[in-house]
Amino acid sequence: MKVNKNTQIKGKAQKWKDVRSKRCRSSIKPSELNSSPVIVKMIKEHQVSVKKKPSVKRLKNKPKTVSENKKNSPGSGFNKPDSQANGCSTFALDDEKEDFQDCREGSESVHANGMETSEDTEEFQAGRLEGEALHHCAQRGNQQNRAVLVMQKNQTMCFRGKCIVTCLYGRVEVMGFTIDEGQRSYPLFSPASHCPLTIRALGNSDYIRDDRTEASNILQDYLSQASRKKLVKKVTQTSSIILLDPLETPLTRFLSSFTHLSELFSPPVSELMSAVLDTPLNGLGMIPLGSTIEGLKTSRSCRDALSTVVSACRGDIDGCAVILVCGIKNVGKSTFIRLLINTLLNHTSSVDYLEGDLGQTEFTPAGCLSLATVKEPLLGPPFTHQLAPEHMIYYGQHSCETDLDRYLESLKSLWRRRPQSREMPVIINTMGWVKGFGFQLLVDLIRFLPVTHVVQLSHGGTTQCPSLTPEFLRTAQGYHTCPPTQTALNEFTETHYPPRTYTHLNVQSEFQGVGRQGTATHQRSNEHRELSLLGYLSQLQSPEPGPVRPLHTLTPYQVPNTAVALGVMHCEVAPSHMFYAANASLVGLCCLAEKVTSKGGPVVLSQATLCPCVGFGVLRGIDMARGLYFLLTPVDPSILRKVNCLLLGAISLPSCILTTQSGFESEMPYVTADYSFDLTGAGKLRVFKGLMRPSLMGVQ
C-alpha cells in the first residue's frame, strides 16, 4: 500500500471523469457468494406464497374487440398500458404482436412529456422502484449473478447489500456523486450499520439520441435476445441503464468470517418486512427496500448549504475554500461531509480532508489525526474506504479530553505540512464535543486555520451550542486564544483592516433518530470504531479469492528491538512491564526525527512524542532471547524502512480477532480465562493532564 502523491490542479472547475480503465473482474460462482441464511429462508417462503396464488386473472365479461374499444374510449393522446405496478407496465410477449398491431396503428405517437416516441412507449412514474416493477425493469445477465436495471428519470432504488455498479446508458447519482455513461465501475456498500444507499436516475444529457437502437446495441454484450427485447421496451430518451455485478473483496470476506458480522450486509430486523425478495437483484447480493424505508433524507437547509459551498469552490475565491463542519454527536456530520466530498468530485479531481474527530475517523482507524487527499467517491461507510493519508499523527485515544494541548498541536502540525499553493478545497471534520472545553477547541480551530466556511449542524430547530458566526467569534473565549481587546479592535478600525471573516451556514438535520445514538446491532459508535479497524486489518489478507487466514498463520516482519523505540502514549507503564502491555496489541508505526540509539538492549520511550505515523501493525510476539519484535502490518516495505518507533495507545484490537482463531484444540494464543478484575491495577487507568472545570477558571 502506497501513500497517495499530491497532484496540482490547474483549474478549479474541471469535470473529473476517470475513463482510463475499467475494473477487471473475474466471474464469481454462486458457491463463492456469502449468502445470508435469513434472506435465503425468506426468499423460499416468498416463493412458496407466490405459487399458492393464481398468476392469471380470468375475465368475467366478454372481451371487446380493438375497434370497439376505440369507439367507446375517448382520445387520450397515448395508450394506457394493460396493467401497471408502481408506475411500470407489463411487457407484451412475442406471440401477442398481432393482437397489438391494430392498437399501434390507431394510437398517437405522442408521449406524456410531448416528445415523439415509438409505438411501444409506456407510462412511467418517478419515485421508488419496488415491488413488481423490479421484475419488469431488471433482467438477469448472460453471466451468472449479474443483472441489468432500467430506471426512468428521478426513479430511485434503496437497497441493502453490496455490488459493483456500471452506468451503461444515461446517468445515475449515488450519495451526491454522478456516475455517467462511459465511466468506470464503482463499488457500492450499503451495510446495516449505516443508512441504506439510494441509486437515483438522472436521465440522459440534453442532446437527442436514438434511444431504443442505441440501448439495444449496448445490451447485446450483457443480455440474451429475449431479455434484451423486454428491457428495450422500457427505454426512453430520459432512461438510465446500469449494470450490477457481485462484489467480493478481501474486506467482505474478512468481515464475513466473524459470526457476529456474517449478516452485516443484510437488512436489519427492522427492515425485513420492507425487503423486496425474489428479484433478479437478490442473487448478486442486493436486497431492494420498499418505500416504507426512508433512506438518506436531506433537509432543505442541507441542500442549500451544499449548493452554497460547491458554488463557492467553483467560483473565484482568493485561495482555496476551507470548510469546517461542526455539530453535536449523531447529528449527521460524517454523512454531510461524504455528500460534500462526492459532490465536489463531480467538478474537481481531488479534495483535501483534515481529520479532527478522534472517535469517528473517516479514512483511518480511530485515534488518528490525518490529512488525506480524496480522489475517489465515498460510496460506503468509513470501514469500506480505509486509505493511507499523506500525513498522519497517532494520538492513541478516541477522545482528546486528557491532553488538549497535544490535540491542538497535532492539528496545527498537519496543517503546516499541507502545501499552501494547492487550490483544491479543504474539508475539516471536528468532534461532537461542543460543550465546555470542546467548544473552546472549536473557537481555536477557526482562529488558527484560514476557514472560509463554517457549516454548523443542529436539530430540533435550535442550535445545541452558540452559533459560531464571525460576530460571535470576536468575543468568544478559546482554549488557547482570547478575544481581541478593545484597543486591538480600535487599531483594526483605524488602519482599515477588518478582522478576517467567513461564511456561516446553519444546517438543520431532519432524519429519523437525529441526536440519538443508534441502538440496533452494528450502529453504536464503539462498533463503528471496531469495523474501521477490521477494515484496516483486512488489508493483511490476500487479494486473491480464498479462505480467510487468521493472524497466527500470517508471516510477520522480524524487527530488532535495538532499531526501534517502544512507547506508551495513553498512560504510564513501568519499563519492566512495557513488553507485557505491548504484546498482541495494536501499535502505531511512527518516525522519530532523531535517530534511535541503543546501549545493547531494547529502547523504551519515557514519554509520548509528537511524530508522523505511516500506518499500524499488530505486535504478534516478542522474543527477548533474540531481541526481536514480530510485526504484522499491511504497510509497504519501502515505507517500513523509515519507521523507528512503535507507539502503543488505548485503541485495542477487537476481541473477535483473538477469539476466532482456528486450528487450536486447546488454549488459544493471547486468550486466557484465568484473570481477575478484582486485582489492583487490573482495570483501566485514566490520566487527566491539567483539565480544569470552567467554573474553576481563574480561581487560585
Side-chain angles (χ1 to χ4, degrees), residues 25 69 100 102 110-111 117 122 150 168 172 290 319 332 339 366 374 437-438 468-469 631 647:
R25 302 181 297 273
N69 287 335
F100 281 88
D102 293 335
V110 179
H111 196 261
T117 60
E122 300 176 355
V150 175
L168 303 177
V172 295
L339 279 171
V374 186
F437 287 109
L468 289 165
T469 61
L631 188 69
L647 291 182

Side-chain angles (χ1 to χ4, degrees), residues 409-456:
E409 289 301 320
S410 299
L411 286 178
K412 288 192 289 186
S413 174
L414 290 171
W415 183 261
R416 287 192 294 265
R417 292 175 179 270
R418 180 182 182 271
Q420 299 303 313
S421 58
R422 285 192 191 178
E423 294 184 348
M424 66 184 67
V426 185
I427 299 176
I428 304 173
N429 187 24
T430 59
M431 301 178 294
W433 185 19
V434 295
K435 301 291 186 181
F437 287 109
F439 184 77
Q440 293 181 6
L441 292 177
L442 280 176
V443 172
D444 285 345
L445 287 178
I446 297 176
R447 287 176 175 157
F448 287 148
L449 306 178
V451 176
T452 61
H453 295 76
V454 172
V455 181
Q456 191 168 359

